[in-house]
Amino acid sequence: MKPWLVRSSSFLLTASLVFPVFSAHAQTPNASNQAVSNNSQVGGAMLAAASKVKLSKEDAVTLAQKLVPTKGLELTNVSFRSSDPWRPFPEWSFSWEKKVANSEDVELSYSVSIHANTGEVTAYSRYDRGASNLPYAKRISYEDARKQAENFLAKYNAGKAEQTRLYVRDMPAPKTPLNTDTAYSFRFVRVVDGMLFPDNSADITVNSAGSVIGYSLTWNDVTFEKPSKVISPEEAETQMTAQANARLSYLIPWEKGGEERTKPTLAYQNPFTFYIDAADGSALTTASLIPRSQVKEPAPVSTKALPARHSGKALSQDEAIKVASDTFDLDKYELRSANYNEKDYRGNRPIWNLEYGEKDNRNGGFAYVSIDAGTGDIYAYNKDIRPLKSSEGSTKKVSTDKLQEKAIETVRKWTPTLANQLYLVDRSQEDADQVDSDRYSITFQRYLDGIAAASGTASLTFDTKSGELLSYYAEIGSETYPAKPGKHLSEQEAISAWKGEIETEAVYVLTPLSTEDRKKMEALPSYLPKRTAKLVYRATTTPFEQAYFYAAVTGEWRSQSTGKVINLHRPAPSDLEGHPAEKELLLMYEYDALSLIDGKIMPQKQITRGEMIEMLMISLNNGRNYPMYSAERKNTYSDVANGSRYFSAVEAAVDRGLLEKNLSKLNPDEPINREELADMIVRALGYNKLADYSSMFQSNLTDIANTKHRGAIVIATTLGIMTSDKQAFKPTATVSRADAATTFTRFLEKRGNQDSQPVTYQAKYE
């Protein structure tokens, strides 16, 4: 799925085709027309291009105003865009603004784009500075937002509403927002003869107040291929399973840092990332729609280990300079600097980095070389090579096969100790655009015993006319690997596990552009190639909020972001239906702050200190995971070591000032009491400094006089976040999961409006 984009038409127009945007210092179409017309040459060019479409600017702005309450708004921008390959229809675009009184700050703005031939709304965006003041309790639900999106599409583009349907298979079920500054995204995918065409869609975003704040239409004029015979979904799934290849790879979760980045995990990634031809059941690549059988298997640069270029003591500076001059043509350059790094990021190796400048410096020429001081391997080389005279004006290019041969020989010669680990991966079909370019890049990927490493590449770029090498770069990561992979699940077991998480569906996909079309597009930006779409089957996996992989050793699903075990199918608690705090408890369960015990949420079970800290930190980070800390982070508390479930949440809470640093232990698995919870809530609201002046506050509570957190208790009860039993707060009493969930929800509500509705406290002065 393409990422959601809120498109402001006045600013996202392509540079090559857009006529400049003109300010219209009035609210009426006639006034804006006058502003455009009076700008001689450029205005004339815009009007000339616009004269070829069916809708005039006046007609288009009239249609756009149906979406905009123009009273009090100023029309600030008018632009016209011709058709191009990326947005294959002409558009009129308009923007309105209302500024804050006596300020240049924008209070309210709208942007609307209109199809210049059909009058359809093609883009819309709305900004309301006051939208963030919505109370948390009044935010709309996902279902209400969906209805708003459907109503908007039906009202402002009924034709496209009839040709699309809401597609949610590739989106996880949205979580309950933890703040009001949130939005829901919906994608209405084009349907042709009952089949999805995901390349075309209407994308709509609705904010938590229920207002549509973004809309964008992607729509092509396409010829859809009609196979005389189409295999059934069951046949497609059979072929998909038969032709799937599960390949082992080493992964390092993105958020891992420090020492954790040196410990890769053996994994199976999704083996169903290809298409099945709906006509004959053959497997096709997703990039170019060619048979997968034509894609070459990764091949090593060398089938055996090659001797190093240097052995013995590490290269001195003079020796490294000699290696560079012996290897490269540097006669026209002089050394400007030499830098030695004992543990370079490229494999944690000792590296010499040499920088050269052109001797006469007339053209600002440079050269750069990186050499492994231990092995003599070349890790980087580039210089400002200009096209050779013999190639100037030539249209003949070196074949990609020749360039690949040259790349392989270069790696063997320059970085021999990695030659048996670097594999040429066939990406020729993905890199079709490179064939027509003056530059061609070839990339090698690191493999260990046939398993893709977590890091390690070599990349070479050539001049396609002269065949000259322009740049070279090689690296390996600092992670360590076992001599042989340990016991792990088989490829077939991995395929079976992934098969349980896929759905096969028929879709139309755009066929790749021909070489001739690409050349025409490069020469003539306004050229619109005729597009065709092919019917295929694809497999979509169970949507989840994070990318995930199948752990090859344990058979668990894990997050590619954190490496944590995840549950793709969250079971519903068996003991919650009808409970007074059902909604509140489900919220905490939804964010994994509470876990089930034998399938039960256990509302009356005491909540632990660690569970409450984790939930508060997630809420303070807008529902996303709190920061992950590396092994180098020293634990604040002796009983929450690095590696503990709560380590990152606790350290993040320390950094945010939610926890006291001067305690030796936290006891995260022990129940939190009411006084501690009040203190934590008040700190999360940012009122902890105020709470320090506890003697200022009057209170009818009779049992808090000698408590450590009297100020926090008064604030929490005054705000209504925590309750009391008549005049007793019971500061040392433990907190049930149900009470904690209710308290947490009240905290979210008060946090949502604490800026717009300041809370006053009754203070006494002595």
Side-chain angles (χ1 to χ4, degrees):
M1 174 181 172
K2 293 175 289 187
W4 166 240
L5 176 67
V6 178
R7 182 180 181 278
S8 176
S9 57
S10 294
F11 301 102
L12 296 184
L13 306 177
T14 57
S16 60
L17 296 178
V18 174
F19 297 97
V21 175
F22 301 88
S23 294
H25 303 290
Q27 298 178 27
T28 65
N30 289 335
S32 64
N33 184 47
Q34 186 68 33
V36 173
S37 301
N38 288 341
N39 194 310
S40 62
Q41 293 182 352
V42 181
M46 176 178 173
L47 293 174
S51 67
K52 299 178 182 180
V53 298
K54 295 181 180 179
L55 263 68
S56 67
K57 179 168 67 66
E58 290 77 12
D59 293 334
V61 77
T62 299
L63 292 172
Q65 286 173 331
K66 293 181 179 180
L67 288 80
V68 179
T70 55
K71 184 177 181 180
L73 296 172
E74 178 186 4
L75 180 63
T76 55
N77 285 314
V78 178
S79 65
F80 176 81
R81 168 182 174 145
S82 298
S83 305
D84 66 51
W86 313 112
R87 200 144 177 88
F89 45 78
E91 285 180 315
W92 283 107
S93 297
F94 309 93
S95 295
W96 288 265
E97 283 185 359
K98 177 183 179 181
K99 292 184 178 179
V100 178
N102 303 317
S103 170
E104 289 301 308
D105 294 338
V106 176
E107 179 179 336
L108 185 65
S109 68
Y110 291 85
S111 290
V112 182
S113 293
I114 301 293
H115 194 303
N117 284 328
T118 67
E120 292 178 299
V121 178
T122 55
Y124 167 87
S125 66
R126 175 182 185 267
Y127 166 75
D128 183 355
R129 183 176 180 174
S132 60
N133 295 330
L134 179 77
Y136 177 77
K138 293 187 178 180
R139 72 199 186 284
I140 67 169
S141 67
Y142 171 82
E143 286 302 316
D144 288 338
R146 177 183 60 78
K147 293 175 184 177
Q148 291 292 89
E150 291 173 340
N151 292 339
F152 182 93
L153 185 60
K155 181 176 181 179
Y156 295 112
N157 203 332
K160 293 299 186 281
E162 293 176 356
Q163 298 177 61
T164 60
R165 69 175 172 86
L166 180 63
Y167 188 75
V168 296
R169 170 61 188 170
D170 57 351
M171 295 288 288
K175 289 185 174 181
T176 304
L178 296 179
N179 56 42
T180 57
D181 187 18
T182 190
Y184 302 97
S185 295
F186 303 92
R187 192 155 191 261
F188 296 86
V189 172
R190 184 177 180 179
V191 179
V192 180
D193 297 331
M195 305 296 181
L196 292 169
F197 180 41
D199 288 288
N200 282 183
S201 63
D203 296 278
I204 299 177
T205 299
V206 181
N207 68 11
S208 56
S211 298
V212 172
I213 59 173
Y215 162 83
S216 181
L217 180 69
T218 303
W219 211 268
N220 296 87
D221 184 8
V222 179
T223 299
F224 296 91
E225 297 179 0
K226 309 291 185 183
S228 57
K229 181 182 178 181
V230 176
I231 65 174
S232 68
E234 293 74 22
E235 291 175 300
E237 186 168 327
T238 299
Q239 289 297 328
M240 186 78 71
T241 304
Q243 300 187 62
N245 291 320
R247 301 290 177 84
L248 281 171
S249 62
Y250 288 105
L251 292 180
I252 297 176
W254 307 322
E255 294 183 14
K256 293 291 186 182
E259 187 179 337
E260 291 298 312
R261 291 204 65 81
T262 68
K263 302 174 182 178
T265 299
L266 200 58
Y268 284 109
Q269 299 193 70
N270 182 7
F272 295 99
T273 54
F274 58 92
Y275 294 143
I276 292 294
D277 192 316
D280 60 20
S282 61
L284 306 174
T285 63
T286 57
S288 55
L289 301 184
I290 66 163
R292 287 178 79 211
S293 58
Q294 294 182 16
V295 179
K296 300 174 183 177
E297 287 291 309
V301 169
S302 173
T303 56
K304 61 181 180 180
L306 300 179
R309 291 162 51 92
H310 170 76
S311 61
K313 293 176 62 178
L315 292 169
S316 66
Q317 178 174 315
D318 289 341
E319 289 171 329
I321 293 171
K322 187 176 187 307
V323 169
S325 61
D326 289 346
T327 306
F328 307 107
D329 179 13
L330 299 171
D331 290 344
K332 296 181 180 180
Y333 300 84
E334 60 185 3
L335 185 68
R336 296 284 174 82
S337 68
N339 175 270
Y340 179 74
N341 193 334
E342 192 173 64
K343 291 186 177 181
D344 189 84
Y345 67 93
R346 286 162 290 200
N348 205 26
R349 301 283 302 167
I351 302 291
W352 280 106
N353 295 305
L354 309 176
E355 294 186 21
Y356 296 81
E358 201 171 23
K359 286 181 179 178
D360 57 16
N361 201 34
R362 284 182 302 177
N363 300 310
F366 71 91
Y368 176 82
V369 181
S370 288
I371 303 171
D372 189 309
T375 65
D377 278 352
I378 305 299
Y379 284 149
Y381 164 72
N382 62 75
K383 67 177 183 178
D384 58 331
I385 300 176
R386 296 174 179 84
L388 300 179
K389 290 184 179 180
S390 60
S391 69
E392 290 179 357
S394 172
T395 57
K396 187 176 181 181
K397 296 184 177 181
V398 181
S399 71
T400 55
D401 288 342
K402 289 287 187 183
L403 293 178
Q404 286 185 4
E405 291 174 9
K406 189 170 184 178
I408 290 171
E409 186 56 36
T410 301
V411 174
R412 290 171 61 93
K413 182 180 178 181
W414 289 2
T415 318
T417 64
L418 296 181
N420 66 325
Q421 297 181 26
L422 292 172
Y423 282 56
L424 179 62
V425 179
D426 185 0
R427 294 192 175 95
S428 58
Q429 303 305 319
E430 300 174 25
D431 300 337
D433 289 343
Q434 282 201 98
V435 178
D436 304 319
S437 174
D438 291 333
R439 300 289 183 265
Y440 188 78
S441 296
I442 299 170
T443 300
F444 299 85
Q445 185 176 346
R446 188 184 183 197
Y447 280 73
L448 300 168
D449 292 321
I451 303 174
S455 68
T457 60
S459 179
L460 299 83
T461 300
F462 293 91
D463 184 312
T464 55
K465 290 183 179 180
S466 67
E468 194 76 35
L469 177 63
L470 303 179
S471 67
Y472 179 89
Y473 184 82
E475 68 155 331
I476 56 172
S478 58
E479 61 269 13
T480 57
Y481 296 89
K484 293 286 182 182
K487 185 178 180 182
H488 58 271
L489 298 168
S490 68
E491 292 184 6
Q492 193 54 52
E493 288 174 306
I495 290 173
S496 296
W498 276 103
K499 183 182 178 182
E501 303 300 332
I502 69 167
E503 283 186 10
T504 306
E505 60 184 4
V507 297
Y508 277 108
V509 293
L510 285 173
T511 54
L513 292 169
S514 66
T515 301
E516 182 180 354
D517 277 335
R518 286 196 300 269
K519 289 181 178 178
K520 287 184 178 180
M521 288 167 60
E522 185 176 348
L524 186 62
S526 60
Y527 171 70
L528 292 177
K530 294 181 179 180
R531 302 309 304 267
T532 60
K534 183 180 182 63
L535 187 62
V536 300
Y537 282 96
R538 70 177 182 183
T540 59
T541 56
T542 299
F544 195 71
E545 62 200 45
Q546 304 167 36
Y548 55 90
F549 64 89
Y550 186 66
V553 175
T554 63
E556 298 167 313
W557 296 106
R558 290 182 174 268
S559 163
Q560 285 193 22
S561 176
T562 65
K564 290 183 177 180
V565 176
I566 59 175
N567 189 340
L568 297 179
H569 305 279
R570 183 185 299 274
S574 61
D575 61 339
L576 202 50
E577 187 174 355
H579 191 280
E582 178 180 3
K583 182 179 178 181
E584 292 83 358
L585 283 163
L586 281 175
L587 177 63
M588 294 191 72
Y589 175 53
E590 189 176 8
Y591 283 93
D592 295 317
L594 297 179
S595 53
L596 300 185
I597 302 172
D598 296 328
K600 298 180 179 180
I601 201 74
M602 296 189 172
Q604 297 312 310
K605 178 178 169 50
Q606 296 168 331
I607 196 165
T608 68
R609 205 168 281 113
E611 289 171 334
M612 202 66 222
I613 292 170
E614 192 168 45
M615 192 65 224
L616 281 173
M617 290 314 303
I618 290 174
S619 73
L620 292 177
N621 205 33
N622 295 330
R624 296 183 294 271
N625 289 327
Y626 36 78
M628 298 294 292
Y629 290 87
S630 68
E632 283 70 30
R633 169 81 179 208
K634 183 179 179 182
N635 51 310
T636 303
Y637 307 106
S638 61
D639 57 349
V640 189
N642 199 319
S644 162
R645 166 190 168 179
Y646 300 119
F647 177 75
S648 288
V650 166
E651 296 304 319
V654 169
D655 290 347
R656 292 286 293 261
L658 267 68
L659 298 174
E660 297 182 24
K661 296 181 180 180
N662 58 358
L663 300 176
S664 60
K665 290 187 176 183
L666 184 68
N667 300 314
D669 295 317
E670 290 186 3
I672 192 172
N673 65 36
R674 285 171 54 80
E675 178 181 9
E676 292 170 332
L677 180 57
D679 178 59
M680 204 177 293
I681 289 288
V682 168
R683 285 174 179 268
L685 286 170
Y687 293 152
N688 48 304
K689 294 296 183 183
L690 181 64
D692 289 342
Y693 297 96
S694 63
S695 60
M696 293 176 57
F697 304 119
Q698 290 183 337
S699 175
N700 294 325
L701 298 173
T702 59
D703 57 350
I704 65 170
N706 298 318
T707 58
K708 183 179 180 181
H709 302 297
R710 181 182 182 277
I713 293 171
V714 175
I715 293 174
T717 52
T718 300
L719 287 171
I721 296 175
M722 297 186 72
T723 59
S724 59
D725 181 9
K726 295 182 180 179
Q727 293 182 319
F729 181 75
K730 301 179 181 178
T732 60
T734 57
V735 183
S736 70
R737 286 183 161 191
D739 287 343
T742 302
T743 299
F744 177 71
T745 301
R746 291 172 181 160
F747 155 75
L748 293 177
E749 293 173 354
K750 294 300 179 182
R751 183 187 65 169
N753 62 9
Q754 63 178 329
D755 293 330
S756 58
Q757 299 179 15
V759 177
T760 57
Y761 300 93
Q762 184 179 7
K764 64 177 182 179
Y765 299 93
E766 298 175 351

